[in-house]
Amino acid sequence: MEKLPGGFYPVMVTPFKSNGDIDWTALDQLIEFYLDAGSTGLFANCLSSEMYQLSNEERLQLTKYVVDKVNGRVPVMSTGTFGGDLGKQAEFIHTMYDTGVHCVVIITSQLINEEEDNNLLKSRLETLISSTGNIPLGVYECPSPFKRLLTPEILKSLSATGRFIYHKDTSCDMDDIIPKLEAVKGSNFGFFNANTPTALDSLRAGVDGISPISGNFYPELYSYLCENFDKEDKGRMAYFQQKLSLMDAVTRICYPFSAKWFLQKRGLKMGTDMRMNHTKLHSEEIRIMESLESEFEELCGVYGIEKVTV
C-alpha cells in the first residue's frame, strides 16, 4: 500500500441545516477552507462529523460527496465500522471503499466490549482483514463509546499485513506514543497524533502528522506546525506549542458545537445546528471563545502565518 503524505489531517465537522439535513453548500465551502489552510488529508465521517448520529446511507453520501469535491487533491479516509456482526462490518467496509476513499478506518471500540481483552480485539481485527480483500485500512482509537488503545504488539502485527496505512492515535502520552511508533517503523503505516499538547514532541519523534480537534478552529496553525517543527528556531517552536496547548483546552468547551460557532465567526456560511445532544455556549464561554480568536490572530501575526479569508 502506498504511504499517505504526512501533515495535518482535520477531523471534519458536518454542517447541518436547521431541519437536520446535511448542508451540502456549507460543506463545499468547508472543504475548500480546510484545503486552503494547508491540510494534506481529510478524515470525513469521524467522531467530529457526528458519525454516530448519521444513518449508513448518510455516512456513504457524506463520504462520497467529500471524495468527489476533493477530486484527488488530497487523500480522504472514512470510518467503516459501527459495531455488530463482523460479517456486516466487513460488508460495510467494502461499500465504504466503493465511495473512492483512500482507506477505510476501523474503530477499535466497535469490535469488542469494554470488558473484553486485547487478544479478542486482535482476533477480530484479523477476521476483518481476511474478509476485506485488499482494501487499504486505517485504525482509530476513538474515545466513544469508550477508548481502547492499541498495544505496540497489535500495531506491529497490523503493520506486518501491509494493509494498514493510517492510524489515528489518542494515547496523549509520549511514553505510549514512542513504543507504538517503533512498532510501525519502516512501514507504510502512517501514524497521526490526535493530541495537541504532545504534537510538537511527537512530530520530532517521527509521527507522520497530526489530527487534533482544535484543527477545526484554526487549521492554519497546525499546518504551520507540521511544516516547520524541524525548521524554525526551537525556542520559537516551543512557545508556539505552549500557546497551542493552552488554546486546546478552550476548544474542548461544548465541542463540536463550539467549532461550528467559531467557524461561523470566521466567516464560513454554516450554521451551528447539531445532530448530537449538546449544550450551547453561554455568555462567559462566548467571551472565552472571543479571547481564543484573539490568540489565533496574535500567533498568525507573530509567526507570519497567512490566515485563510472566506
Side-chain angles (χ1 to χ4, degrees), residues 114-133:
E114 195 164 6
E115 66 275 8
E116 293 174 325
D117 65 22
N118 282 329
N119 290 326
L120 185 58
L121 173 60
K122 186 173 183 290
S123 173
R124 289 180 176 169
L125 281 165
E126 290 168 352
T127 298
L128 274 185
I129 293 165
S130 66
S131 56
T132 50

Side-chain angles (χ1 to χ4, degrees), residues 59-295:
R59 291 163 182 156
L60 294 168
Q61 288 175 338
L62 175 65
T63 303
K64 183 70 164 61
Y65 194 91
V66 174
V67 168
D68 289 349
K69 179 68 175 176
V70 169
N71 194 27
R73 287 176 286 175
V74 299
V76 177
M77 59 268 323
S78 180
T79 303
T81 56
F82 292 92
D85 178 76
L86 283 183
K88 290 183 178 179
Q89 293 200 57
E91 183 180 336
F92 192 69
I93 287 173
H94 279 276
T95 306
M96 183 59 77
Y97 187 60
D98 288 341
T99 64
V101 290
H102 279 69
C103 75
V104 182
V105 179
I106 296 168
I107 303 294
T108 54
S109 58
Q110 292 297 320
L111 303 188
I112 55 172
N113 296 324
E114 195 164 6
E115 66 275 8
E116 293 174 325
D117 65 22
N118 282 329
N119 290 326
L120 185 58
L121 173 60
K122 186 173 183 290
S123 173
R124 289 180 176 169
L125 281 165
E126 290 168 352
T127 298
L128 274 185
I129 293 165
S130 66
S131 56
T132 50
N134 291 316
I135 293 173
L137 298 172
V139 65
Y140 170 26
E141 300 165 335
C142 184
S144 178
F146 64 92
K147 185 188 288 193
R148 175 57 63 94
L149 298 178
L150 294 167
T151 64
E153 293 73 25
I154 290 179
L155 278 172
K156 188 170 184 177
S157 69
L158 297 181
S159 176
T161 68
R163 293 276 304 283
F164 285 80
I165 61 173
Y166 177 81
H167 167 56
K168 186 181 175 191
D169 191 87
T170 63
S171 299
C172 306
D173 189 325
M174 289 304 298
D175 288 341
D176 292 324
I177 290 171
I178 288 175
K180 291 163 84 172
L181 263 177
E182 285 294 318
V184 301
K185 189 175 181 179
S187 73
N188 284 341
F189 202 160
F191 196 113
F192 292 80
N193 182 11
N195 180 245
T196 289
T198 56
L200 178 59
D201 285 344
S202 68
L203 286 165
R204 287 175 173 163
V207 302
D208 296 281
I210 51 178
S211 195
I213 63 171
S214 295
N216 279 314
F217 293 73
Y218 30 75
E220 301 95 327
L221 300 187
Y222 288 96
S223 294
Y224 177 84
L225 180 63
C226 288
E227 293 166 6
N228 295 280
F229 72 92
D230 59 349
K231 299 174 185 175
E232 270 273 19
D233 174 80
K234 286 189 175 181
R236 277 172 59 82
M237 290 313 299
Y239 179 76
F240 189 80
Q241 173 63 70
Q242 289 169 2
K243 282 287 194 179
L244 284 182
S245 297
L246 289 170
M247 293 162 68
D248 183 67
V250 175
T251 65
R252 298 173 187 275
I253 298 171
C254 299
Y255 182 83
F257 175 88
S258 57
K260 295 183 179 184
W261 183 92
F262 198 89
L263 289 170
Q264 189 181 69
K265 287 278 287 182
R266 290 198 59 181
L268 275 76
K269 293 180 172 60
M270 61 183 295
T272 55
D273 298 285
M274 304 271 291
R275 287 273 187 93
M276 64 191 298
N277 292 330
H278 67 285
T279 56
K280 296 184 178 181
L281 297 166
H282 57 67
S283 59
E284 179 189 21
E285 290 166 335
I286 288 173
R287 286 177 179 269
I288 294 171
M289 286 294 158
E290 289 170 346
S291 297
L292 180 67
E293 187 176 18
S294 297
E295 290 291 317

Side-chain angles (χ1 to χ4, degrees), residues 43-55:
F43 191 171
N45 186 40
C46 57
L47 187 59
S48 292
S49 312
E50 300 173 73
M51 64 180 180
Y52 291 133
Q53 285 71 42
L54 302 175
S55 67

